[in-house]
Amino acid sequence: MATAITEDIRGDNNRSVVASSVELERSRCWFQRRCSWRPTSERLLEVAESRIWKFVKSRYEGKYVPVEKDEKIWTLKFNPNATKAPLVMIHGFGGGAGLWAMNIDALAKHRTVYAIDVLGFGRSSRPQLSGDPQEAEEQFVKSIEQWRQEIGIEKFVLLGHSFGGFLASSYALKHPSRVQHLILADSWGYSEKPEKLQYNIPTWVKIVATLIRPFNPLAGLRAAGPWGPSLVQKFRPDLQGKFAGLLEDDTIFNYIYHCNAQKPSGETAFKRMSEMYGWAKYPMIHRIGEMDKNIPMTMIHGSESWIDCSPSYQIKNSRSGYVDIQVITHAGHHVYADQPWAFNQAVNKVCHREDKLITVTIN
């Protein structure tokens, strides 16, 4: 009996040791998650994006399109059987194809619309891009051309927002025979950084800018670990209002977070292509004059955007080809989301114009 009791006591002690070890491991894992783990993955980004598309009525197909070196570009093809001039949409910095959610149904009503995640962003591959700004730009453009070849479209209307507008412009310069009409939505990278800023920047801002210069623009989001998602909501509460007409709850916050919490491949390249305070190292205004004059251009700006629209008027006054400027009132930099109805109307007007000018063969 004494032996049995002793064995029971030993068993209880062993179970207590095991239980304590399990609790210790749980505590350690909880600490690691709270202090270092970023709650993101490719799967979570996929889920966040799928929640967006369930509110879009247009029929679509999604697939990875292979480009160079086993890299892939995530592609969404809306209204795949349409026969009008196709539209290709390139998102801006830190975004993905999902940000076009409020535009797709209107723009894809009569034509095929391709919305891609730029290489290094969203659900596309995130390779290490060149540290040289010009080479990085060439890599982006090359990936878009390889994507076009793989998809099999010959000519299309090309629309880019912000950084996407910069890349769309660079693509049109390199591959003019493929661009039927270039639409720039509040494009980044056109203005040249002035030798002397026309406004006084506080000393503390200059100090902070100098300190964070070695880091990627969204490094803080990743460094915040499990607190990262709440940072998106804290610093960009306006996003929910912009997409409130279509998306529910915190869908857009989750999408933005998962787009930017992973490997900052495209983000790093963008940083190398830009100067302090956000100017492009190689502004497009110095190169756009070389673009084929037969490519029509439409610039869409938000009346309340921080982007300088004076380069658009400079281009209109100096370029012999077709140039149209549309300024949408009560819209900021995210003009496509601030005033989606007016934006969609402007883009559709361009596309209808092209439908009348050329017959497009679609794959």
Side-chain angles (χ1 to χ4, degrees):
M1 180 66 69
T3 303
I5 291 174
T6 301
E7 289 175 351
D8 286 343
I9 292 174
R10 287 175 179 171
D12 289 340
N13 287 338
N14 288 337
R15 283 191 291 272
S16 296
V17 170
V18 171
S20 297
S21 298
V22 170
E23 288 302 318
L24 182 62
E25 180 64 18
R26 287 176 178 172
S27 298
R28 186 179 68 83
C29 291
W30 177 89
F31 181 80
Q32 287 181 338
R33 287 197 302 269
R34 299 297 290 180
C35 295
S36 61
W37 180 66
R38 295 195 302 271
T40 190
S41 67
E42 293 181 6
R43 173 58 182 164
L44 288 175
L45 174 54
E46 178 185 351
V47 170
E49 185 192 68
S50 66
R51 289 178 62 189
I52 291 176
W53 298 127
K54 74 177 183 179
F55 295 103
V56 173
K57 298 177 182 178
S58 299
R59 179 171 173 264
Y60 74 96
E61 304 167 353
K63 66 177 181 178
Y64 285 100
V65 176
V67 291
E68 193 176 48
K69 298 178 181 178
D70 297 324
E71 294 158 5
K72 298 176 182 178
I73 290 182
W74 175 243
T75 304
L76 292 150
K77 183 180 181 181
F78 299 87
N79 194 0
N81 298 320
T83 57
K84 300 288 186 179
L87 172 66
V88 175
M89 307 175 76
I90 304 179
H91 63 81
F93 172 77
L99 293 183
W100 300 113
M102 291 193 294
N103 314 109
I104 292 297
D105 283 336
L107 300 181
K109 188 174 182 180
H110 300 293
R111 73 194 66 257
T112 299
V113 172
Y114 296 89
I116 67 172
D117 282 352
V118 175
L119 190 69
F121 292 94
R123 294 178 62 187
S124 290
S125 299
R126 299 191 175 219
Q128 183 174 351
L129 298 168
S130 175
D132 179 83
Q134 291 178 307
E135 289 181 1
E137 180 182 330
E138 290 174 3
Q139 287 175 307
F140 281 124
V141 170
K142 185 177 181 181
S143 70
I144 296 172
E145 172 58 11
Q146 290 173 335
W147 170 88
R148 182 204 64 78
Q149 293 175 9
E150 192 69 27
I151 288 292
I153 51 176
E154 293 299 315
K155 204 164 186 176
F156 49 90
V157 177
L158 181 58
L159 164 62
H161 169 252
S162 193
F163 181 51
F166 181 86
L167 296 180
S169 300
S170 185
Y171 179 87
L173 281 166
K174 186 77 173 179
H175 304 282
S177 65
R178 303 303 178 187
V179 180
Q180 189 171 334
H181 196 121
L182 179 63
I183 307 176
L184 304 177
D186 225 45
S187 182
W188 171 86
Y190 266 74
S191 297
E192 182 178 22
K193 182 181 178 181
E195 293 184 7
K196 292 185 179 180
L197 299 179
Q198 296 179 358
Y199 47 87
N200 294 323
I201 299 177
T203 302
W204 70 268
V205 173
K206 293 180 181 179
I207 293 173
V208 171
T210 301
L211 290 174
I212 66 174
R213 182 61 184 168
F215 303 97
N216 282 326
L218 300 175
L221 182 70
R222 292 179 290 277
W227 293 277
S230 62
L231 285 182
V232 178
Q233 298 188 37
K234 181 177 181 180
F235 289 102
R236 291 304 306 272
D238 59 306
L239 286 173
Q240 192 160 25
K242 293 179 191 296
F243 289 86
L246 180 69
L247 305 179
E248 297 177 345
D249 52 60
D250 58 354
T251 298
I252 195 62
F253 293 125
N254 286 333
Y255 179 69
I256 292 293
Y257 173 73
H258 291 301
C259 275
N260 294 290
Q262 299 179 62
K263 182 180 177 181
S265 171
E267 181 183 334
T268 301
F270 173 81
K271 174 182 173 294
R272 289 166 178 163
M273 293 166 66
S274 61
E275 303 240 42
M276 190 177 291
Y277 306 124
W279 276 273
K281 284 185 177 178
Y282 296 97
M284 193 58 64
I285 192 62
H286 297 315
R287 296 181 274 159
I288 202 65
E290 301 170 10
M291 192 174 72
D292 188 336
K293 66 179 181 180
N294 295 314
I295 298 178
M297 295 181 68
T298 295
M299 286 87 153
I300 303 175
H301 292 280
S303 63
E304 300 171 8
S305 174
W306 53 269
I307 290 285
D308 180 14
C309 63
S310 60
S312 295
Y313 290 97
Q314 183 179 335
I315 294 167
K316 183 176 178 63
N317 293 331
S318 62
R319 190 167 187 261
S320 59
Y322 177 93
V323 178
D324 185 36
I325 300 174
Q326 298 286 326
V327 178
I328 297 178
T329 57
H330 308 299
H333 180 51
H334 294 275
V335 56
Y336 61 92
D338 291 331
Q339 296 293 336
W341 184 86
F343 178 83
N344 296 339
Q345 185 181 47
V347 174
N348 273 328
K349 182 180 178 180
V350 169
C351 292
H352 292 328
R353 173 185 184 273
E354 296 307 317
D355 289 338
K356 298 176 181 178
L357 295 177
I358 192 169
T359 300
V360 181
T361 301
I362 305 176
N363 179 33

